[in-house]
Each structure stands twice: as structure tokens, then as C-alpha cells.
Amino acid sequence: MDPTSSGPGRSASSGPGRSTTRRPEPVTPRLSAGLVALAWVTQFLVGTDLFVVAPLLPDIAASLHVAPARTGLLITAFSLAYVVASPFAGRLSDRHDRARILSAALVLFSLANVATALAPSFGLLLATRVVAGVAAAATGPTVYALVSTRAQATARAQVLAVVGSGLLTALWVGAPAGAVLSRHAGWQAAFVILAAGTCVLAVPPRLRLAVGPNRDRRADGRCRQCPGRRHTGARRTAGRG
């Protein structure tokens, strides 16, 4: 029996001019605490943008001279835009580079908040909240997908729970802080700060959550792109015979 034709860690090849290659162990992408923190902050800012509107409604109504009850449409517009856009944004994230999708969504989210702060009328303000809702819809699924891809299988649920807590922390920290800021600097200041924060997160060097485009996973779940390392199932080398 040809010793090169079988056996663990050997390719099924034989004959002169052929060499065998040992398959490397699968490499699991690593997720650092810093990247988890960035994902948490992203969810915190998006959650704050949603929850901070409620305590600001009286100030917004007075500023734009509309009935306080009517300003509740701002929350409805954001929420409906988020619900409708989320499935489409998730599909887009699955088909393209998630890091780029997240960066673009954060830029759009930042611009929408700037427009919210500068809106001269209630109609335009309502439109900016729709845009913000669409942008937020693209951040949530993408952040969770990126973190899940990088997290170790034995800690995936724990990491996702930590990232998800950023959204709920915004309810009891972000929203009250925005209300206090509104009393001292006007309701527009809250959206300007949110815009600045998301703009910083959108800077490409900070977005290192993705292994690469979503083609990084084959149908069998193996990673196609592991920078600096050989992939599982590496090509067998064959010399000229």
C-alpha cells in the first residue's frame, strides 16, 4: 500500500512529483473586549435616540408650535420605519460586507440626527425621524450578526446578551440624561450629541468586527477569509510529474 494514499492528515495523492499537505486546525475568529464595547455603545446610542424623544416631546411641541399630542407621531414614525426596514436591512447585510453596511448605516443615522436638530418645521422633523428609524434598522441586525460571527461558540449567547443590554441601558440612562440636557441646552443638543457619537463609531478604523465580506463563510460553515492564516481544507499542492 502506498503510504501517501491514506492516513490522517494526508491528502489522497500518490506518484512521483506529488506532495502531501496536512490540513490545519480550524481557526475561530476572535472577538476582543474592545469590539464588544463598540457594539454595546452602538446599541446604546441607537436605543437612546429612540427613548430620548418621549421626555423631549413637550419642549419640541413648544419649539415648533404644535400640539403636544401630535408630537407623539415622532415616536411612531421612528418605530414603524424600524419595523418595516429591518428585514430588508438584514437581507442587505447578509449579501454584502457587513462592516461597510454598518458604517453606512451609522453615517446615515448621524446625518438624520443632525437634520432632526436643525428641522425648522414639524413635517420635516417627522421625515428625519423616519430616516433615523431606517438607519437604526440597519445597525441592529448587522451588529448582532458581526458579533455572533466573531464570538466563540461557548460564549456566543453571553456576548450577545452583553451587546443587547446596551439597548435597554439607554432606557434608564440615555433617555433621562437627554431630558436633563434638554432643560439646560435645548432639545436639539441631545440629537447633536447622538449624531457626534455615531459619527465617531462610523470611522472605518473602528469597525473591525467583520472577518470580511459575507463570503467569508462557505455553505459548510468553514471560514473563507482568515487574514494571515491558512484556511481549513487548504488546496492540495501538486508538482509537475
Side-chain angles (χ1 to χ4, degrees), residues 148-239:
S148 179
T149 300
R150 279 268 181 151
Q152 296 286 339
T154 56
R156 187 169 295 138
Q158 181 182 13
V159 170
L160 289 173
V162 171
V163 173
S165 70
L167 198 64
L168 273 299
T169 303
L171 181 61
W172 62 275
V173 174
V180 172
L181 181 65
S182 174
R183 285 196 292 268
H184 295 281
W187 63 267
Q188 295 90 342
F191 294 100
V192 171
I193 292 176
L194 287 170
T198 51
C199 186
V200 171
L201 289 176
V203 176
R206 292 183 177 272
L207 298 178
R208 304 189 183 279
L209 290 170
V211 176
N214 295 335
R215 295 184 296 273
D216 57 353
R217 297 280 173 181
R218 301 188 333 194
D220 60 4
R222 291 177 180 170
C223 180
R224 288 187 182 274
Q225 298 183 10
C226 294
R229 296 179 181 270
R230 298 179 64 184
H231 302 289
T232 301
R235 294 182 180 177
R236 298 165 182 164
T237 58

Side-chain angles (χ1 to χ4, degrees), residues 55-157:
L56 301 184
L57 292 181
D59 294 334
I60 293 174
S63 174
L64 299 179
H65 308 289
V66 295
R70 191 181 177 192
T71 57
L73 291 173
L74 297 174
I75 299 176
T76 303
F78 183 101
S79 301
L80 285 179
Y82 190 105
V83 169
V84 172
S86 285
F88 300 99
R91 182 176 178 83
L92 186 67
S93 178
D94 286 336
R95 290 177 173 268
H96 299 280
D97 186 337
R98 291 191 178 110
R100 292 183 179 179
I101 294 296
L102 179 57
S103 181
L106 290 173
V107 169
L108 181 61
F109 191 73
S110 180
L111 292 175
N113 278 298
V114 170
T116 296
L118 299 177
S121 66
F122 183 75
L124 288 176
L125 181 61
L126 198 62
T128 64
R129 300 315 295 159
V130 171
V131 176
V134 171
T139 63
T142 306
V143 165
Y144 288 126
L146 288 172
V147 170
S148 179
T149 300
R150 279 268 181 151
Q152 296 286 339
T154 56
R156 187 169 295 138

